[in-house]
């Protein structure tokens, strides 16, 4: 009996230690991505400039030569790596929240797609995990579909960061890149565009479900020009993982944010999550709240080389209606009350 009790205690201790180790690995996996998002581009640029001033300048010079030669690669579909997309670290990243991808309809490999991702949140954590890694099984759920997450083009001017982003299948959110993927890269491509962008990130806060969409019609025009089907995507919980200071319209804080957004392309947010060692302190780590990304039914879009404003408005209206229906259908399944309404701005 004593031996059995000792064995049981050792097993309990083993599982406790394993659980703690896994939790720490989850925190590390998320922390590295947060630091990548916030500082990797600037840090790598400064390090490269420093190396140019040292005896190792030839290494930096060779990389800069490669950078010039490789400058247009992000505009041509990038350079994805299945090895990077399948890193174990992304599974720990997924389990930290956890993040889940829900498929509602099949996608034909003979078509191309533009996914509209909503809402932006602070960092688009659900968009990254679901479409730039294989942690939630996007390739198994949508076989034959190649996802490309589109993000700020300025990120691809940053040394090292650009290569890291491309390895996950991330591309610049500009016309050249999107045109190439949808017209010169065959079929079965899906570009994920976070439609609300920086403007939407300024309003994201826990408990609020709102999207910036009414006047965002450029993605619909691109879909019509290429005959790419539109797919609404809503990520329940994306706004719950960070708390943000919201500046009212007309305030000095909102004025500064809009100026940054206009001239630099992103809007600086004042936000916080939890601390590294405790969930009761403030820090840069997001709160471990579940994020569930639901991919809706595709809207068949005809190919029109020069779509009129009437065409754009018609399919934009269809898209908005489809997004609202998707939200209403799944909101109660993922913790929202039936009375919750999606606010479309």
């Amino acid at each position: 009996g004593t031996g059995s009790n000792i064995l049981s205690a050792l097993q309990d201790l083993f599982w406790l230690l394993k659980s703690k180790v896994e939790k720490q690995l989850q925190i590390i996996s998320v922390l590295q991505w947060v630091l990548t998002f916030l500082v990797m581009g600037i840090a790598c640029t400064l390090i490269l400039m420093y190396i140019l001033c040292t005896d190792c300048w030839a290494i930096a010079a060779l990389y800069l030569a490669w950078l010039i030669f490789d400058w247009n690669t992000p505009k041509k579909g990038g350079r994805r790596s299945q090895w990077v997309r399948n890193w174990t670290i992304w599974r720990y990243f997924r389990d930290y929240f956890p993040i889940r991808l829900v498929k509602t309809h099949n996608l034909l490999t003979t078509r191309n797609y533009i996914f509209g991702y909503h809402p932006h949140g602070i960092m688009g954590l659900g968009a990254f995990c679901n479409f730039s890694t294989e942690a939630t099984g996007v390739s198994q759920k949508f076989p034959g579909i190649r996802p490309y997450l589109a993000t700020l083009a300025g990120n691809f001017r940053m040394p090292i960061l650009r290569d890291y982003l491309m390895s996950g299948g991330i591309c610049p959110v500009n016309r050249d890149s999107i045109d190439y993927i949808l017209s010169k890269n065959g079929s079965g491509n899906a570009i994920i565009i976070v439609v609300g962008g920086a403007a939407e990130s300024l309003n994201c806060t826990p408990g609020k479900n709102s999207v910036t969409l009414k006047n965002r019609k450029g993605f619909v025009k691109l879909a019509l020009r290429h005959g790419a089907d539109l797919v609404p995507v809503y990520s329940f919980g994306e706004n719950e993982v960070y708390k943000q200071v919201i500046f009212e319209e007309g305030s000095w804080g909102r004025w500064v944010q809009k100026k940054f957004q206009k001239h630099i392309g992103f809007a600086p947010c004042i936000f916080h999550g939890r601390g590294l060692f405790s969930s009761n302190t403030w820090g840069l780590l997001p709160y471990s709240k579940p994020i569930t990304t639901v991919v809706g039914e595709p809207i068949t879009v005809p190919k029109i080389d020069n779509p009129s404003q009437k065409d754009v408005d018609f399919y934009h209206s269809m898209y908005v209606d489809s997004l609202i229906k998707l939200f209403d259908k799944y909101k109660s399944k993922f913790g929202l009350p039936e009375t919750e309404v999606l606010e479309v701005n």
Side-chain angles (χ1 to χ4, degrees), residues 12-30:
D12 291 342
L13 179 62
F14 171 77
W15 288 112
L16 180 62
L17 291 173
K18 182 180 178 182
S19 176
K20 286 186 175 181
V21 168
E22 286 187 348
K23 187 61 180 177
Q24 293 305 311
L25 289 173
Q26 291 169 11
I27 289 174
I28 292 169
S29 69
V30 175

Side-chain angles (χ1 to χ4, degrees), residues 32-88:
Q32 68 84 26
W33 171 246
V34 170
L35 294 178
T36 296
F37 183 89
L38 294 176
V39 302
M40 183 178 179
I42 295 173
C44 288
T45 301
L46 293 175
I47 292 170
L48 192 66
M49 292 171 63
Y50 171 75
I51 294 174
L52 280 171
C53 300
T54 69
D55 293 338
C56 299
W57 64 269
I59 296 174
L62 284 172
Y63 179 80
L64 288 174
W66 161 252
L67 190 64
I68 293 170
F69 174 78
D70 194 55
W71 191 253
N72 289 322
T73 297
K75 298 178 183 178
K76 297 180 179 179
R79 186 170 47 248
R80 76 174 54 218
S81 166
Q82 287 301 118
W83 175 65
V84 173
R85 287 175 61 89
N86 281 288
W87 277 353
T88 302

Side-chain angles (χ1 to χ4, degrees), residues 26 52 83 106 180 196 200 243 250 269 336:
Q26 291 169 11
L52 280 171
W83 175 65
N106 291 325
Y180 183 90
E200 190 172 86
K243 296 178 181 178
C269 302
L336 297 178

Side-chain angles (χ1 to χ4, degrees), residues 101-107 142 231-232 293-298 326 329-330:
L101 180 65
V102 176
K103 169 186 174 181
T104 63
H105 291 79
N106 291 325
L107 299 181
F142 300 103
V231 182
T293 303
V294 184
V295 180
E297 182 178 4
L326 180 71
K329 182 176 180 180
Y330 288 93

Side-chain angles (χ1 to χ4, degrees), residues 41-197:
I42 295 173
C44 288
T45 301
L46 293 175
I47 292 170
L48 192 66
M49 292 171 63
Y50 171 75
I51 294 174
L52 280 171
C53 300
T54 69
D55 293 338
C56 299
W57 64 269
I59 296 174
L62 284 172
Y63 179 80
L64 288 174
W66 161 252
L67 190 64
I68 293 170
F69 174 78
D70 194 55
W71 191 253
N72 289 322
T73 297
K75 298 178 183 178
K76 297 180 179 179
R79 186 170 47 248
R80 76 174 54 218
S81 166
Q82 287 301 118
W83 175 65
V84 173
R85 287 175 61 89
N86 281 288
W87 277 353
T88 302
I89 196 172
W90 305 132
R91 294 198 288 275
Y92 288 114
F93 183 100
R94 172 199 65 196
D95 293 340
Y96 172 85
F97 296 93
I99 295 174
R100 180 186 173 203
L101 180 65
V102 176
K103 169 186 174 181
T104 63
H105 291 79
N106 291 325
L107 299 181
L108 299 174
T109 57
T110 55
R111 301 285 294 174
N112 284 323
Y113 301 90
I114 292 180
F115 286 20
Y117 184 92
H118 312 270
H120 183 286
I122 295 292
M123 297 183 186
L125 294 165
F128 168 76
C129 184
N130 284 309
F131 302 113
S132 293
T133 80
E134 294 296 331
T136 56
V138 63
S139 293
Q140 287 72 44
K141 291 178 179 177
F142 300 103
I145 302 297
R146 291 181 298 276
Y148 294 86
L149 177 60
T151 189
L152 190 65
N155 289 326
F156 296 89
R157 302 187 187 103
M158 301 285 189
I160 309 301
L161 175 63
R162 68 190 293 274
D163 302 288
Y164 190 34
L165 295 178
M166 283 194 291
S167 67
I170 301 177
C171 68
V173 62
N174 58 33
R175 181 168 172 176
D176 289 342
S177 176
I178 294 172
D179 282 347
Y180 183 90
I181 293 170
L182 294 181
S183 64
K184 300 178 182 179
N185 201 40
S187 59
N189 301 293
I191 297 181
I192 297 88
I193 299 176
V194 186
V195 178

